[in-house]
Amino acid sequence: MTTPRNSPRNNTDDRWQGQQAMYRDDRDVASDEDEHHAFLAGEPRVRLTHPKQVQQWRWHWRWLVVRRWTPHILGTAIVLLLVISLCSLTAYWSYGSYAARRETLRDMLGTKARYPTPTSLDSDDVHPPVVDAHNCSTVPLPGDVPPHCELVHLQLVSRHGTRNPTPRVVEKLAALETELLAHHNSAWPKWLVSWRNPYSMDTAAELVEQGKHDLASLATRDVCRYGRWLDAARFKDPSDPRRGSAASERHQLAWYGSSAKQRCIDSAKAYATVFSGQKLDTSAIHILPELALPMDTAEQGQDNELAMHHACALWEKQSKDRSGELSMEAPYRERYMPMILDQLSETLGYPTTNETLEAVWMACAFEFAIDAKPNQWCQLVQSHTKSVQNLGDSWWMGDNSEAGMSPLRLVDFFEDVRHYFQYGPGHPLNQRLACVLFTRVLGEMRTALRGQPGPRWWLRFAHAETIMLMLNHLDVYTGPLEFRQDRAFRTSRIAPFAANLHFELLRCGSETASAVSRVSDDNYHVRVLLNEQPIRIPGCPADQDLCPWAEFERAVLARAGDCHFDAMCRLPKL
Ligand SMILES: O=P(O)(O)O[C@@H]1[C@@H](OP(=O)(O)O)[C@H](OP(=O)(O)O)[C@@H](O)[C@@H](OP(=O)(O)O)[C@H]1OP(=O)(O)O
């Protein structure tokens, strides 16, 4: 339809309409379409004589092109936008649910859980980046030192980083492989049909690449968190032969201790390589002798400091008595195990047992811990569980309803029960087993507090049980064990791979003063961090992270007391 020339319309369209009409000759006004096609075919339909007309003609064509192609462009843009948003939503939900699943999965894997470093919580990297100690601004730092305090002395006790399964677990996974081969099912997912136990006895319990990253990243965060004090503690005397770079002097003021297990020695090396800014050979690490079992060789040196349970005959005896553990598990096994095993049997297509379930949990734990991939055993277990009770998101929220049950959650709880009795409040002896270590730690802190010479940074590398026994000694997470997601004694949160305890001896001014005006014992406080998050211990103020030195010393000694380790661990005379 052609608009009559003199129609009074005022919008932009009118303007163009008007302009169109200005130079049209008196032939029938061809439709825009015809003109456009003629233009495309190179047959201009109008004769232009005046420069103004030429310019208007050009604008007209631009307008035509725009008007002709805008709907297509818009349509394409809308389709593209839809496709992009659909892709990003899919990516979000898969990544998001993956990230949510990974964060949830992490909670369900007991002492085989990945360490919750700030960078790895949502990272898809198999190895969370070892952040650059020379560029601390890029390092996310939980647990920074209060601004009115300065670090005088540091005690670190860290579990080794991520490792391969121990021989006990390798055997379980080998048994799982045998069981699967005996019940081969072509309907299984391809990965399950071809799954073989990937772990060997030769490398059992060894630190893996992820484990080195765990400790190097921890060292990086420590260097960044404490750097200003680590580097201020320089050797002042210009003639002192120990003078050198900040990192090398830091290293010379450090004392490294490790249990005799290679995974701990290698973890110490990974940490020290960053902390010292140099490659480190084992000779700089004080390796505490592993006790030569059986117990009658106890006098041949023993590591009652970092592998203290193995240095205690009474502990060895009590750890074999599993009555407490089994009676705590019984009601849950009775209530949940049948339904879980039924579904696992249905998923795998053959009658499965408790051993199958534990092995599947271990297979999931190590595939996630070592390769950060929860897309085989973990997914199989989770997806099969969802089909069991049509679970909503709330199942992870700590309710103990039937709807909240899953194989991961059940085995994770049973693992906590095992550790609760072996290294936690389940046995009274476990409250005192860390007394040698704490006696040493307190002594080293006193030396620093009195300004006496000695290492400033004590860095020890040990086991999950070392961390659990120290927490038990501090009377932390020692409440009754209940099957709740928010239970205090939850090993995935307190003793994951690379779990660590920092004991900071701080000299603090008043909240307002930035520096210390007058030094006295009152200025000294201890801050305790578990996995780099401040924790408060009984015997210290409940409303603040800083514990006055005298109160901390009293709280620790209350349990360490007269630490007669050998007498405490002697087997009762029959
Ligand atoms: O076979 P596991 O993995 O269930 O038991 C390990 C135990 O690991 P965990 O139970 O604390 O995760 C500790 O290993 P880490 O804390 O060093 O990771 C014990 O140190 C380790 O004992 P061992 O290496 O001194 O023999 C347990 O292995 P185990 O199976 O021999 O008991």
Side-chain angles (χ1 to χ4, degrees), residues 415-426:
E415 281 287 293
D416 283 357
V417 172
R418 175 167 73 91
H419 287 96
Y420 185 86
F421 282 91
Q422 284 198 350
Y423 310 117

Side-chain angles (χ1 to χ4, degrees), residues 32 204 306 363 386 430 490 512 538:
D32 289 349
L306 293 179
K386 281 199 167 37
N430 297 344
R490 179 129 212 209
T512 48

Side-chain angles (χ1 to χ4, degrees), residues 111-112 159-160 163 166 168 263 310 419 463-465:
T111 54
K112 289 18 178 212
R159 182 186 183 192
H160 56 75
R163 60 162 168 79
T166 56
R168 177 182 80 88
R263 56 187 180 271
H310 283 328
H419 287 96
H463 302 273
E465 52 272 22

Side-chain angles (χ1 to χ4, degrees), residues 113-128:
R114 290 166 67 90
Y115 185 72
T117 42
T119 47
S120 69
L121 265 180
D122 297 318
S123 155
D124 255 345
D125 297 346
V126 172
H127 304 307

Side-chain angles (χ1 to χ4, degrees), residues 208-349:
V208 297
E209 195 54 35
Q210 174 65 49
K212 292 172 190 157
H213 278 256
D214 294 336
L215 271 290
S217 298
L218 176 63
T220 302
R221 290 193 299 277
D222 281 351
V223 165
C224 288
R225 184 182 295 114
Y226 304 119
R228 65 199 111 158
W229 299 292
L230 297 176
D231 296 345
R234 305 294 294 269
F235 299 115
K236 306 289 186 262
D237 176 356
S239 63
D240 190 323
R242 297 171 300 176
R243 279 173 67 92
S245 70
S248 67
E249 289 194 31
R250 197 163 57 208
H251 174 59
Q252 292 177 77
L253 283 171
W255 182 92
Y256 298 90
S258 168
S259 88
K261 293 287 183 183
Q262 193 60 40
R263 56 187 180 271
C264 300
I265 296 166
D266 293 341
S267 294
K269 284 165 65 176
Y271 185 96
T273 300
V274 171
F275 194 79
S276 65
Q278 59 186 342
K279 289 291 174 210
L280 184 87
D281 61 45
T282 314
S283 63
I285 296 174
H286 302 266
I287 297 168
L288 302 172
E290 178 74 355
L291 177 76
L293 290 174
M295 291 312 294
D296 57 9
T297 59
E299 63 282 1
Q300 292 171 8
Q302 60 182 7
D303 179 1
N304 57 11
E305 186 178 318
L306 293 179
M308 51 288 249
H309 55 308
H310 283 328
C312 180
L314 189 56
W315 181 87
E316 292 286 357
K317 179 174 183 293
Q318 82 179 18
S319 66
K320 292 179 178 60
D321 168 15
R322 301 194 53 196
S323 56
E325 184 185 328
L326 296 175
S327 64
M328 180 176 277
E329 284 180 6
Y332 300 103
R333 278 190 184 279
E334 188 182 334
R335 181 175 178 192
Y336 294 119
M337 198 53 100
M339 91 162 99
I340 293 289
L341 285 183
D342 283 350
Q343 283 302 317
L344 186 58
S345 303
E346 190 179 327
T347 301
L348 293 178

Side-chain angles (χ1 to χ4, degrees), residues 405-432:
M405 197 32 60
S406 86
L408 286 183
R409 192 177 194 168
L410 190 62
V411 178
D412 173 62
F413 175 66
F414 289 160
E415 281 287 293
D416 283 357
V417 172
R418 175 167 73 91
H419 287 96
Y420 185 86
F421 282 91
Q422 284 198 350
Y423 310 117
H427 279 292
L429 174 65
N430 297 344
Q431 292 169 9
R432 313 258 337 271

